[in-house]
Amino acid sequence: MPVISVPQAFNEEDLYVDLRPIFGHSLFLKCEGFNFAGSIKLKTAIEMVETAERDGVLKPESVIVESSSGNLGVALSVIAASKGYRFLCVTDSRCNLATRLMMEALGSQVHVIAAQNARGFLGARLDYVRALCDSDDRYVWLSQYTNPSNWKAHYRRTAPEIARGFPHLDVLFVGAGTTGTLMGCARYFQEWHRPVRIVAIDSVGSVSFGGPPGRRMIPGLGMSVRPPLLDEAYVDEVIHVEEVNTIRACRRLARRGFLFGGSTGTVVSGAMGWLDQHDTRDLTAVAIAADLGERYLDTLYQTNWLQALYGEDVFDSEEPPVGSRPADTHPADEAPRPADRQHRTRSR
């Protein structure tokens, strides 16, 4: 019987959902939402905070500050409350109300940026954080966008968990936000005993892999500036997914009893399109579900919100967007080995 005294001591590592009965392709979805922060970002928060403590950056009087669209803010709120730090999350108007209320319930302060600058909401958030840190040296910015502890958390934990469960893994689908999860897993599997094809899933409108900027309303994936942690040499393919297909994938999962967040819908949508166009016989495929769906009930699962942003036809078809295969992909049995990896940005 597990007994814990701090919230970060618990995280379910080995729960997967086989999506074949729902989508027709075998895809094992690693569920990262079963911890007291509700997302994979708990690993990132632990690694960043404990590294800052070991390096002497965090002191008892420190105030942790971070820019977050939601999940890392909640995770840092959990860690800060557990360890006795103050925490200020700088977010923007796209952050779900439930997420903001969770952070405040955990004792954190939340500052909401209402207006974009030339680099979008993220640029405005980062400018605010920098000004705050310049004004008072008690503020400690962990900077998930540049902090190597972000990807190291997944190199040390997430990727080995997948490797332990799937020793014959062929392809891994990972959503791209700050790219911490993507880079940690990609680095780990490049050193593994067998080649694993790394497919990054991004949102249309994200500029992470060089695509044109566009409106993105579903938090979790995508960036309005290039992620400093990203090294494209570790990535075999990139698939961009329209938000309407994110919504349809999420709703299809929900109709089968699985309520996931928007990033999971994006990853599943992109992965199913890829699997539809490849020979999946004897192929072992895993995708990462970063969180669950409860905190998106007033947005992603709210009919009025969806129709106001995406129009009445957002519900016309909730089938997975198969046939979304990017051009120039390699068949699964011709996937290049790690030494020969090629990366091409895909856009849909």
Side-chain angles (χ1 to χ4, degrees), residues 153-296:
H154 306 288
Y155 179 89
R156 293 169 176 165
R157 295 189 59 182
T158 307
E161 290 162 9
I162 295 170
R164 181 175 66 241
F166 296 90
H168 301 291
L169 180 67
D170 294 301
V171 58
L172 179 64
F173 300 97
V174 188
T178 65
T179 69
T181 306
L182 175 65
M183 288 293 96
C185 291
R187 282 184 165 92
Y188 180 90
F189 283 112
Q190 190 178 63
E191 301 167 1
W192 208 36
H193 68 91
R194 60 181 278 122
V196 175
R197 193 165 185 80
I198 302 297
V199 181
I201 311 294
D202 199 7
S203 300
V204 170
S206 168
V207 304
S208 296
F209 296 92
R215 185 188 75 165
R216 293 178 294 108
M217 299 304 299
I218 300 174
L221 293 185
M223 295 275 282
S224 56
V225 298
R226 181 179 170 83
L229 295 177
L230 175 61
D231 184 343
E232 296 182 54
Y234 289 95
V235 180
D236 293 305
E237 296 180 51
V238 181
I239 296 174
H240 285 85
V241 175
E242 295 277 0
E243 286 191 333
V244 68
N245 289 329
T246 294
I247 295 160
R248 290 167 180 168
C250 283
R251 291 172 67 88
R252 186 164 182 176
L253 285 162
R255 292 204 308 271
R256 298 298 292 271
F258 295 107
L259 197 69
F260 286 107
S263 65
T264 299
T266 305
V267 170
V268 168
S269 175
M272 287 302 162
W274 190 96
L275 292 169
D276 186 59
Q277 298 298 324
H278 288 74
D279 181 1
T280 59
R281 290 172 296 179
D282 302 320
L283 186 75
T284 299
V286 170
I288 298 174
D291 62 2
L292 300 178
E294 291 94 333
R295 64 189 65 173
Y296 304 92

Side-chain angles (χ1 to χ4, degrees), residues 105-163:
L106 289 162
S108 300
Q109 293 178 276
V110 181
H111 180 84
V112 180
I113 299 293
Q116 306 181 53
N117 65 14
R119 293 174 295 134
F121 277 115
L122 177 58
R125 280 162 33 192
L126 297 182
D127 286 350
Y128 184 88
V129 171
R130 292 189 186 98
L132 198 65
C133 292
D134 289 343
S135 71
D136 192 328
D137 59 12
R138 290 177 300 172
Y139 287 105
V140 174
W141 181 18
L142 297 177
S143 186
Q144 63 168 323
Y145 309 102
T146 60
N147 193 329
S149 292
N150 186 344
W151 68 260
K152 288 178 181 178
H154 306 288
Y155 179 89
R156 293 169 176 165
R157 295 189 59 182
T158 307
E161 290 162 9
I162 295 170

Side-chain angles (χ1 to χ4, degrees), residues 29-97:
L29 190 62
K30 188 180 195 303
C31 301
E32 289 281 351
F34 292 98
N35 57 56
F36 283 93
S39 82
I40 197 171
K41 291 292 189 178
L42 182 63
K43 295 173 179 176
T44 306
I46 293 170
E47 189 76 21
M48 292 198 305
V49 169
E50 293 185 350
T51 299
E53 289 176 330
R54 289 193 299 270
D55 293 346
V57 174
L58 276 177
K59 302 176 176 61
E61 68 274 13
S62 296
V63 181
I64 299 171
V65 62
E66 185 57 271
S67 162
S68 171
S69 62
N71 281 339
L72 184 66
V74 173
L76 284 171
S77 295
V78 169
I79 301 300
S82 174
K83 290 177 171 286
Y85 294 111
R86 293 169 57 198
F87 171 55
L88 169 62
C89 181
V90 180
T91 187
D92 60 61
S93 56
R94 296 171 301 175
C95 179
N96 297 310
L97 175 61

